[in-house]
């Protein structure tokens, strides 16, 4: 009987996956079977996440950010030569598409006419469901392009503020992660993948300025300029939008 009981207890202990058990076991290594970044100093973890993000060919970014008092909801697919997706602010929603240096903006009529009795209001009806080509010389070009520039956008999101500390192990969308906190969390938090490449999987911005999830790292997607019949080209300057969009982390 003693032998059977000992065998049963041994089998139960071997089968348990909890960190601590009544069988006298020790805590499991939370980094066992991972890429090892969870054991690094927090600054190194952040650096590796930034490098992995820069080296990746593509990413899907979704969530919300607060910049200069305005909240933006982003749903963007980005890669090295462009990007596409939707940006929604408190007052309007617009779509962006960039292929190489060509940038297109698509928005409902109210986006163009809001509070504007000038050329924007006059053009609003014609621009409904059309892609407006944003010329490189227009002041809005760099402003909107930034939302489609993978490295510019990610560099403004990944950096944490204050003293860095290694946080808890966890999961994001089923993937094992290690968290890095800035200034105890008030400087933002970064969840980095412990499996495969150390990609950033979730960013919580400093000061409660939004949260974004990053997925589909390296997953390619179709990117092409819209058909010519769907494009409106105003030449050197587009009608005033009144949007005043500012990039997360920018001083614009």
């Amino acid at each position: 009987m003693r032998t059977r009981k000992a065998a049963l207890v041994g089998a139960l202990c071997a089968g348990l996956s909890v960190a601590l058990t009544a069988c006298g076991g020790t805590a499991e290594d939370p980094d066992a079977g991972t890429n090892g970044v969870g054991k690094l100093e927090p600054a190194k973890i952040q650096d590796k996440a930034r490098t992995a993000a820069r080296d990746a060919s593509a990413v899907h970014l979704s969530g919300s950010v607060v910049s200069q008092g305005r909240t933006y909801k982003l749903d963007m697919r980005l890669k090295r030569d462009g990007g596409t997706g939707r940006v929604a602010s408190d007052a309007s929603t617009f779509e962006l598409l960039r292929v190489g240096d060509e940038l297109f903006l698509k928005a409902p009529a109210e986006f163009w006419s809001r509070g504007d009795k000038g050329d924007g209001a006059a053009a609003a009806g014609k621009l409904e469901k059309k892609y407006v080509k944003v010329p490189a010389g227009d002041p809005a070009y760099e402003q909107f392009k930034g939302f489609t520039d993978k490295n510019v956008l990610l560099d403004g999101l990944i950096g944490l503020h204050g003293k860095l500390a290694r946080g808890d192990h966890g999961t994001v969308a089923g993937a094992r992660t290690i968290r890095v906190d800035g200034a105890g969390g008030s400087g933002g938090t970064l969840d980095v993948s412990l499996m495969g490449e150390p990609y950033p999987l979730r960013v919580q911005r400093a000061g409660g300025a939004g949260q974004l999830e990053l997925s589909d790292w390296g997953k390619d997607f179709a990117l092409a300029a819209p058909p010519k019949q769907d494009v409106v080209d105003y030449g050197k300057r587009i009608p005033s939008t009144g949007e005043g969009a500012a990039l997360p982390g920018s001083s614009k």
Side-chain angles (χ1 to χ4, degrees):
M1 288 295 293
R2 289 181 179 178
T3 302
R4 288 182 180 179
K5 288 181 179 180
L8 178 59
V9 171
L12 289 173
C13 288
L16 289 174
S17 59
V18 292
L20 293 173
T21 74
C23 304
T26 58
E28 288 184 357
D29 180 0
D31 295 297
T34 71
N35 55 22
V37 298
K39 296 181 178 181
L40 300 178
E41 293 299 315
K44 288 287 187 180
I45 299 174
Q46 180 181 240
D47 289 344
K48 282 190 172 291
R50 181 180 284 114
T51 298
R54 275 190 162 271
D55 291 345
S57 59
V59 64
H60 179 204
L61 182 153
S62 61
S64 63
V65 297
V66 179
S67 183
Q68 298 186 6
R70 178 169 288 181
T71 299
Y72 296 94
K73 292 183 178 180
L74 309 182
D75 189 357
M76 302 294 300
R77 290 189 178 275
L78 311 170
K79 55 183 177 180
R80 295 189 180 104
D81 59 347
T84 183
R86 180 184 298 266
V87 180
S89 73
D90 300 330
S92 61
T93 299
F94 54 93
E95 296 178 30
L96 292 169
L97 169 64
R98 183 173 64 84
V99 183
D101 292 329
E102 289 192 311
L103 177 64
F104 304 91
L105 174 63
K106 185 178 182 181
E110 56 267 25
F111 175 88
W112 302 100
S113 62
R114 188 177 63 253
D116 189 351
K117 297 181 181 180
D119 58 351
K126 299 178 182 179
L127 300 181
E128 183 82 42
K129 299 181 180 181
K130 293 287 187 178
Y131 286 92
V132 175
K133 186 174 182 179
V134 185
D138 191 289
Y141 182 84
E142 290 299 328
Q143 189 177 18
F144 287 118
K145 179 187 175 184
F147 284 103
T148 67
D149 190 313
K150 172 177 162 287
N151 288 340
V152 168
L153 191 55
L154 291 180
D155 281 351
L157 294 172
I158 292 177
L160 304 177
H161 303 289
K163 184 177 180 179
L164 303 184
R166 188 169 51 236
D168 296 332
H169 289 72
T171 61
V172 174
R176 295 168 66 184
T177 60
I178 180 67
R179 173 170 288 188
V180 178
D181 298 314
S186 64
T189 64
L190 182 65
D191 289 274
V192 180
S193 177
L194 288 174
M195 311 307 296
E197 292 294 324
Y199 292 126
L201 299 184
R202 182 166 57 204
V203 178
Q204 297 181 54
R205 303 188 69 216
Q211 175 176 301
L212 296 116
E213 296 202 359
L214 303 100
S215 60
D216 294 338
W217 287 102
K219 185 176 180 180
D220 197 17
F221 58 92
L223 193 63
K228 290 185 178 181
Q229 64 267 25
D230 294 334
V231 176
V232 176
D233 189 345
Y234 272 90
K236 294 183 178 181
R237 188 161 185 168
I238 63 174
S240 174
T241 67
E243 177 61 24
L247 287 178
S250 75
S251 58
K252 294 180 180 180

